[in-house]
Amino acid sequence: MTESTLINHIKTLVNLSEKEVSEIALFFDFHSYKKKETLLLADKRCDRLFFVQNGCLQLYFIDNLGNQKTSQFAIENWWLTDFLAFQSQKQSNFYIETVENSKIASISFSKYQELLDKFPKMEKYFRTIYQTAYGAALMRIKYINSFSKEEIFLKFRDNFPEFVQRVPQYLLASFLGLTPEYLSEIKRK
C-alpha cells in the first residue's frame, strides 16, 4: 500500500494538483504494523496523528481498577490520536494499539504544522475531519444517555456493521460500556 490511499482520501475533500500531491505525501511516514502493536503509550508525549490506510486501531485507557476501556476505533480512511494531547503537545491519557495487521500513515506534530503552513487548503481538510469526528462523539454521548445498553448495541450494529464483524467482542463490549457476557447475550437474541 502506498500513499495513494491517504492522497485519495484528501482529494475527496480538497482539490490537489499533481505537484501538491507529490509534496504533501512527503510529510507523512508509512508503516505496516502487526496486530496488537502499540503506537502510542499513555503518559508519553503525543507527537503523531495516525491515518488508517488498511486495518483497525483502538484508542483506550486503563481505569482505576486496571480495566482497559476502549474510547474509539479507527478503520480505513479514519484518523486517530489523542487529539487534546497532540494539539497541546502534552502527555497522552490514552494508548493506541492495532486491532488487526494495519498499514498506517502518520505525521508528526512539527510536520503537521509545516504542512498546514505550506498548504492552507489542508486546514479545510483537517477541519472537516475534526468536525465529523466531533459530531460522531456527540452522537455517542447521546446514545449512552438516551438508550438502553441493548439499544446502544443494536444502533451501533446497524450503523457500523463492519465493526461488529471485525472487532473482537471484548473490545466492542468495552467500547459500548457492556460486559462481554452481556454482549453475547444480546447477540444471541
Side-chain angles (χ1 to χ4, degrees):
M1 178 97 35
T2 65
E3 69 272 356
S4 63
T5 304
L6 171 62
I7 296 300
N8 287 340
H9 191 263
I10 294 169
K11 285 175 152 182
T12 65
L13 299 175
V14 294
N15 292 321
L16 298 176
S17 70
E18 287 307 310
K19 183 176 188 284
E20 289 171 323
V21 165
S22 299
E23 290 180 35
I24 287 171
L26 296 174
F27 284 87
F28 293 89
D29 297 314
F30 299 89
H31 294 286
S32 294
Y33 297 94
K34 299 219 179 288
K35 181 179 180 179
K36 293 198 174 216
E37 281 196 60
T38 302
L39 307 182
L40 176 66
L41 291 168
D43 297 326
K44 299 291 182 192
R45 187 168 65 95
C46 180
D47 187 46
R48 297 201 83 75
L49 178 56
F50 303 98
F51 177 81
V52 180
Q53 295 188 109
N54 183 268
C56 182
L57 301 177
Q58 69 160 324
L59 179 127
Y60 68 92
F61 65 95
I62 306 296
D63 71 11
N64 294 338
L65 301 174
N67 299 312
Q68 180 178 313
K69 302 289 186 173
T70 301
S71 297
Q72 286 183 288
F73 290 107
I75 59 172
E76 289 80 11
N77 295 322
W78 290 21
W79 288 93
L80 188 64
T81 197
D82 176 345
F83 287 100
L84 287 176
F86 180 75
Q87 183 59 36
S88 63
Q89 284 298 277
K90 294 194 175 171
Q91 290 181 326
S92 178
N93 291 300
F94 298 92
Y95 298 84
I96 295 178
E97 183 178 276
T98 56
V99 176
E100 304 170 342
N101 292 340
S102 301
K103 294 183 192 244
I104 306 297
S106 68
I107 188 168
S108 69
F109 182 77
S110 61
K111 290 283 186 187
Y112 175 78
Q113 294 301 318
E114 286 178 45
L115 175 71
L116 297 181
D117 287 343
K118 186 168 182 177
F119 299 97
K121 62 176 68 176
M122 292 300 292
E123 289 268 3
K124 176 186 176 191
Y125 171 77
F126 282 107
R127 178 177 39 83
T128 304
I129 296 302
Y130 299 148
Q131 287 172 335
T132 302
Y134 182 68
L138 290 176
M139 289 306 295
R140 182 170 182 229
I141 292 168
K142 179 184 177 193
Y143 281 11
I144 288 169
N145 290 299
S146 300
F147 300 112
S148 71
K149 299 290 187 182
E150 185 172 345
E151 289 171 321
I152 290 170
F153 169 73
L154 295 173
K155 288 189 176 298
F156 186 80
R157 181 198 64 195
D158 293 345
N159 289 322
F160 304 102
E162 66 274 17
F163 281 106
V164 176
Q165 300 300 316
R166 291 172 66 176
V167 173
Q169 186 165 306
Y170 75 98
L171 292 179
L172 188 58
S174 169
F175 177 71
L176 296 174
L178 309 171
T179 65
E181 299 77 18
Y182 186 61
L183 182 55
S184 288
E185 189 179 311
I186 293 170
K187 286 175 126 182
R188 276 195 301 272
K189 290 181 185 180

